[in-house]
Amino acid sequence: MSLASLDQLCQKIGYEFKDTSLLTMAVTHRSFSADNNERIEFLGDSLLNMIIAEALYRRFPGIDEGDLSRIRSVLVSGKTLATIALEFDLGRYLRLGAGEKNSGGQRRASTLADVVEALIGAIYLESGFDVCRERVLAWFAPRLSALNPESSHKDAKTRLQELLQARKQPLPNYQLIETAGADHQQTFVVACSVSLLTSSVSASGSSRRKAEQAAAEQVLLALKEVE
């Protein structure tokens, strides 16, 4: 990656790396090199959960731990992280192997989400927890400000179920339609059917639960479009 590209990426994320090797590692997919972002992503994932948990704990003193956990799961979900990655245009900076690049890896939500976590880990390694927390909270500021504690803690499956019950419709039906990949890195595809839509909606995730949540979210979006 050129110095110009590194500078562009630093400007977009609001943090300038002194050690550019950390930034390079953060955007390196395992298909490109054995020296990739998987370990640093693991670190970033833990930091992200901690930082968002603390922010929610302080922002919503009246909400119990179960609801805080559900709000956090939405904020740190792969979908949210992939959206942040798109805001930073991270796909153009990824270092991917030829096969991964040709198959559209630079647009794959899970890959983009991993890079956001890797960047968090890289910032922490270079500048410590306080600077890392400041950057993460800056990235998530609009989402934290927009939270509605009365509803945002409910996951997609719960919101879909409540919507259907309010309209006196049958509950949604979830069906596992495909499982692919090696045992340690499987992808699950789930179809969700509801009486208000003429066809089922499918979504994927790294677990059956995540795939069901993703499918429910897509059904909610589809229902908004037909209203």
Side-chain angles (χ1 to χ4, degrees):
M1 185 184 297
S2 68
L3 288 175
S5 294
L6 290 174
D7 287 342
Q8 288 175 356
L9 180 51
C10 288
Q11 289 174 12
K12 289 180 178 181
I13 67 176
Y15 177 85
E16 184 173 353
F17 279 90
K18 299 176 182 64
D19 182 356
T20 56
S21 68
L22 279 172
L23 177 56
T24 300
M25 181 185 298
V27 298
T28 300
H29 189 262
R30 64 180 177 274
S31 64
F32 186 91
S33 170
D35 189 18
N36 56 60
N37 63 11
E38 288 188 330
R39 278 173 50 84
I40 204 169
E41 172 213 333
F42 162 78
L43 179 60
D45 174 66
S46 298
L47 288 161
L48 175 62
N49 276 276
M50 167 60 195
I51 291 166
I52 295 300
E54 180 191 30
L56 295 175
Y57 178 85
R58 296 185 183 281
R59 182 177 287 264
F60 301 120
I63 295 181
D64 67 29
E65 68 278 9
D67 287 343
L68 288 173
S69 179
R70 281 187 283 274
I71 297 174
R72 181 184 62 179
S73 70
V74 172
L75 285 173
V76 304
S77 68
K79 180 180 178 181
T80 301
L81 295 178
T83 300
I84 291 173
L86 290 173
E87 292 169 359
F88 293 148
D89 196 18
L90 287 185
R92 66 180 295 190
Y93 303 103
L94 298 187
R95 302 171 81 208
L96 302 168
E100 186 70 15
K101 195 169 187 177
N102 291 336
S103 66
Q106 67 273 23
R107 297 184 299 275
R108 189 167 294 119
S110 59
T111 300
L112 293 170
D114 290 347
V115 175
V116 174
E117 291 179 336
L119 286 170
I120 293 169
I123 292 170
Y124 168 78
L125 288 175
E126 180 169 273
S127 296
F129 183 74
D130 288 343
V131 172
C132 179
R133 176 170 54 191
E134 183 273 330
R135 274 297 85 207
V136 170
L137 293 179
W139 297 350
F140 279 83
R143 293 163 178 83
L144 288 167
S145 298
L147 285 174
N148 179 355
E150 297 302 320
S151 62
S152 61
H153 64 276
K154 296 178 181 178
D155 61 35
K157 288 183 67 175
T158 301
R159 287 185 281 121
L160 178 58
Q161 180 174 318
E162 290 181 351
L163 182 149
L164 294 174
Q165 288 175 329
R167 298 185 184 183
K168 302 187 185 306
Q169 297 293 318
L171 294 179
N173 177 56
Y174 298 93
Q175 183 177 3
L176 179 65
I177 59 176
E178 184 181 354
T179 304
D183 290 343
H184 66 285
Q185 198 171 19
Q186 287 186 316
T187 297
F188 297 80
V189 180
V190 167
C192 178
S193 304
V194 298
S195 58
L196 296 174
L197 296 176
T198 56
S199 60
S200 63
V201 176
S202 300
S204 62
S206 57
S207 69
R208 181 168 181 168
R209 179 183 64 81
K210 290 181 179 179
E212 288 179 349
Q213 291 289 355
E217 189 69 52
Q218 293 303 310
V219 169
L220 287 167
L221 292 173
L223 289 173
K224 284 184 179 180
E225 292 179 358
V226 299
E227 284 179 351

